[in-house]
Amino acid sequence: MKILVLVLSFKDSGIYEKLESTARETWNKDEVDNVETIFYYGGHSQNELIDDRLYLTSPEGLSNLGHKVISAFEFLLKNMDFDFIFKMNLSSYLNKTLLKEICSSMEQKNIYSGFLGDFGDTVFASGAGTLLSKDVVQFIVENKNDWQHNYMEDVSMGMLIKKKNITPTAIPRVSIVNGINREQINTKCFHYRCKNENNRDLDILIMKELHNIYGNK
């Protein structure tokens, strides 16, 4: 079983590059067999994978997130072997060992999982952390022309996958939005979403503290 962790990234000479550095220094520093991390970026002259960085021609920007992730999926399907993709953002903290344990307990098809939300009659997995089996990734690429880019990327993905008649399933996630509270920490949870609207630098401190907690549990 092979898992790709696909991290939405952006070169901004600011907070997003700081978050990427923090990810590399904390959760992604831990090597786990058959779990590989790829950071992906838009706005480049050609699609290419250099080490763990996937550069794509898709434009950057909130309105282009759907195009960007579809391009990433297309590239990975053509160039890499995998059974699952866990798609996440830069301000998430991940425990790759626990992710692997969860995937090992699942069927390797029809998997569309995450922290669930709803938009109208569509139930979708949050884009902060979405687990997809390879067949669902293939379905998205094969039906990319039906992707509705006028909605948020995670909602649009849910709308498209709904056509495959897959019921999204919930997997645990802890959200930390206003500073870390030790009572929130569950070391059996593999995914934390860190988002402090007024101080994104606090996300970095939280990710480092989470790493200390997991390392000393």
Side-chain angles (χ1 to χ4, degrees):
M1 180 187 68
K2 176 70 176 290
I3 304 166
L4 297 181
V5 178
L6 186 61
V7 187
L8 176 64
S9 305
F10 177 54
K11 294 295 186 183
D12 67 341
S13 300
I15 187 61
Y16 289 104
E17 289 194 27
K18 290 180 184 178
L19 287 166
E20 180 181 331
S21 295
T22 304
R24 292 179 180 279
E25 294 166 2
T26 57
W27 63 264
N28 197 50
K29 192 174 182 179
D30 298 332
E31 295 188 5
V32 177
D33 289 342
N34 294 316
V35 181
E36 183 175 350
T37 303
I38 295 173
F39 297 84
Y40 68 112
Y41 319 82
H44 287 261
S45 59
Q46 61 181 341
N47 295 338
E48 59 180 343
L49 180 64
I50 301 176
D51 297 325
D52 64 354
R53 293 176 167 89
L54 176 56
Y55 299 106
L56 302 165
T57 59
S58 301
E60 293 286 19
L62 190 62
S63 62
N64 291 306
L65 291 182
H67 296 289
K68 188 174 172 180
V69 74
I70 290 169
S71 294
F73 286 170
E74 287 179 314
F75 185 95
L76 297 174
L77 285 168
K78 291 178 181 177
N79 295 283
M80 299 193 73
D81 292 325
F82 64 92
D83 300 294
F84 294 97
I85 285 179
F86 184 70
K87 184 183 72 66
M88 58 181 278
N89 59 22
L90 276 172
S91 61
S92 284
Y93 181 88
L94 179 69
N95 185 294
K96 293 188 285 187
T97 298
L98 294 177
L99 170 64
K100 184 177 179 180
E101 289 177 7
I102 285 180
C103 291
S104 297
S105 68
M106 293 179 167
E107 296 288 338
Q108 293 182 9
K109 63 178 183 178
N110 292 335
I111 298 299
Y112 171 48
S113 301
F115 183 85
L116 301 184
D118 60 82
F119 182 84
D121 61 355
T122 297
V123 179
F124 66 94
S126 167
T130 310
L131 181 63
L132 303 158
S133 52
K134 185 175 183 178
D135 63 304
V136 177
V137 176
Q138 289 172 324
F139 176 84
I140 290 170
V141 169
E142 290 168 0
N143 294 274
K144 64 181 180 180
N145 291 336
D146 293 330
W147 185 289
Q148 300 183 60
H149 292 279
N150 52 318
Y151 296 101
M152 293 296 292
E153 177 261 345
D154 49 7
V155 172
S156 299
M157 182 179 290
M159 290 175 169
L160 184 57
I161 294 174
K162 185 178 179 181
K163 296 182 179 182
K164 200 177 188 309
N165 294 318
I166 291 176
T167 301
T169 55
I171 48 178
R173 184 191 82 182
V174 175
S175 294
I176 301 178
V177 294
N178 289 307
I180 196 165
N181 181 338
R182 290 273 176 153
E183 294 180 356
Q184 291 179 275
I185 307 307
N186 176 2
T187 52
K188 293 183 180 180
C189 183
F190 76 94
H191 178 218
Y192 288 79
R193 177 179 181 264
C194 310
K195 190 170 184 181
N196 290 268
E197 296 287 357
N198 298 321
N199 183 4
R200 300 308 303 275
D201 285 313
L202 186 55
D203 296 340
I204 292 171
L205 297 177
I206 290 169
M207 290 168 70
K208 290 179 178 179
E209 180 63 11
L210 284 168
H211 199 62
N212 289 334
I213 291 170
Y214 273 87
N216 295 296
K217 67 175 181 176

